[in-house]
Amino acid sequence: MAYRGRHRRRKKGRALRASLAGTALALTVAAGLISTSQAASSDNPGALTALGSSSDTDKLQLHENLVDEGTLDTLESGMGGNVGVDAVLKNANHEMRGRADCSATEKAALPVEPDATRVYCWADNDSRTQKWQPQSVTTSGDSDEDGRWGSNRVILSGWTHDGQTGGAQEEDKGLARVAFIDANDPANLKYRWVLLVVPLDGGKNFEAVRSRIGGMVWYQDKLIVTARNGTAGDDALFVFDMNRILRADVTSGAVGKVKDGWSAHGYRYVMPAMGSYSLTGGACDATTNDRVPCFASVSLDRTSTPHSLVANEWFRPDSGKPGRVWRYDYSTASARTGLLATDRLGRVHADEAYKTEAVGLQGVLSHRPSGASEPNWYAGHAPGERGEHGTLWRQNKSAAKAAKCGAEESYACWGRDTESLSYWQETGELWTLTGRAATASGRAHELPGRAADRATAWQPGMVSERVLYAVPLSAVDHSLE
């Protein structure tokens, strides 16, 4: 079924739990998915180990919390109605640079093997800013099997405000925004920013989402992002309706209802959260792999039945702790487009889970080749120091493989500081992005939560190593050793 931007409404809404829809949304920047200064692992992680016991999968259980439909309607009506993805794209005001116009440092962040076939670099201010960090990607290839939202090809990229940079204002810290990229013309990509918010006071106001967007999936008419939910610090997923994009009519630093209308910290567009998925086990634990996991990244698997959302957790490469990868099924109910499958109590159960010995994972993707009996899991490792390439492992229940490159036949062939993964099924492309900006002297700027034992102050003279790129998944498979 094609999803052409139709507005699907649930007949019956549920109230979002108090930590989401209370007097304010107390979100903090997630500390998960941290890298270290190690190079990509030279040790083959081997096959995945299945986690099939209920004691293992119960720790991955979620609970669905949906905002009341009336609250969302009140906010939408008060702000003049949904403007839609199309309006955001038509008002794109930032141009991306093609490969030929990317800098040497940006090109150096690309994979050694296999070669990236589509390469784009951000507008100058975004490519070098220390205030904002690019961390996730999804596309209209996720939203619909024909690769379009309506008539548009679209790429979304999630960025988080880094509150650690010197001079950061309190009201800026942890803000989350999404770049809506018009990808209709491959030679001329343009984008516009949309701020993520949460409705308050029955839809009479809204507050900014303050969270690290380590992963995101646009499936059908919903956008699911990783988020740190509430003062208890329990990592969760937040859900946004792609048919509820609203326009702010006041330009100011405030967020929410103001005297003369609605303000979004200088941004023209906002997306209000319509719900969340909270971990039923409570606050996540990023120090161990046998408790409630902290979400690091998510992606879509269109080759599973039904389609599914896959996730991973992160541990420091030197911790010696294997991480977990797992999946949740999407609902097949016509009234629940883009939402995860739940039982009668609103619980979401992990359909499949594995332990992987691959370390420092920044992103995960599951894909079952045509005719295969089981999926392959692609796990991206990113080292912490500038100048080091990562490793993209392909694992299944039988083995693990990765490309080798250079005279030493190193596994460090993937991009530098590569973040989440997304597969565009219509084109066969694996999309990802790099997140680093570094000083001209070579010191890398740390992302939020990285190397928490040492602070990173604002550095002048930043150079960009940030690239949005695609590699045919078939080329990844052909490069494996």
Side-chain angles (χ1 to χ4, degrees), residues 148-170:
R148 294 174 174 83
W149 175 259
S151 61
N152 293 304
R153 293 180 182 274
V154 190
I155 301 171
L156 304 182
S157 176
W159 292 47
T160 300
H161 191 281
D162 180 3
Q164 294 181 354
T165 52
Q169 300 297 311
E170 192 64 33

Side-chain angles (χ1 to χ4, degrees), residues 359-438:
V359 297
L361 301 186
Q362 298 280 69
V364 66
L365 179 78
S366 172
H367 181 266
R368 182 172 61 85
S370 178
S373 60
E374 64 179 78
N376 291 318
W377 293 71
Y378 299 83
H381 160 91
E385 290 298 321
R386 184 188 183 199
E388 297 176 354
H389 283 80
T391 302
L392 182 64
W393 292 104
R394 188 186 74 183
Q395 290 183 277
N396 52 39
K397 291 185 287 186
S398 301
K401 294 184 177 182
K404 289 184 177 181
C405 56
E408 297 180 356
E409 293 194 330
S410 168
Y411 283 130
C413 306
W414 193 229
R416 296 176 181 172
D417 195 49
T418 298
E419 300 284 346
S420 73
L421 305 172
S422 178
Y423 179 63
W424 197 318
Q425 180 170 282
E426 183 223 359
T427 64
E429 295 170 320
L430 174 62
W431 283 88
T432 187
L433 72 170
T434 63
R436 190 174 302 288

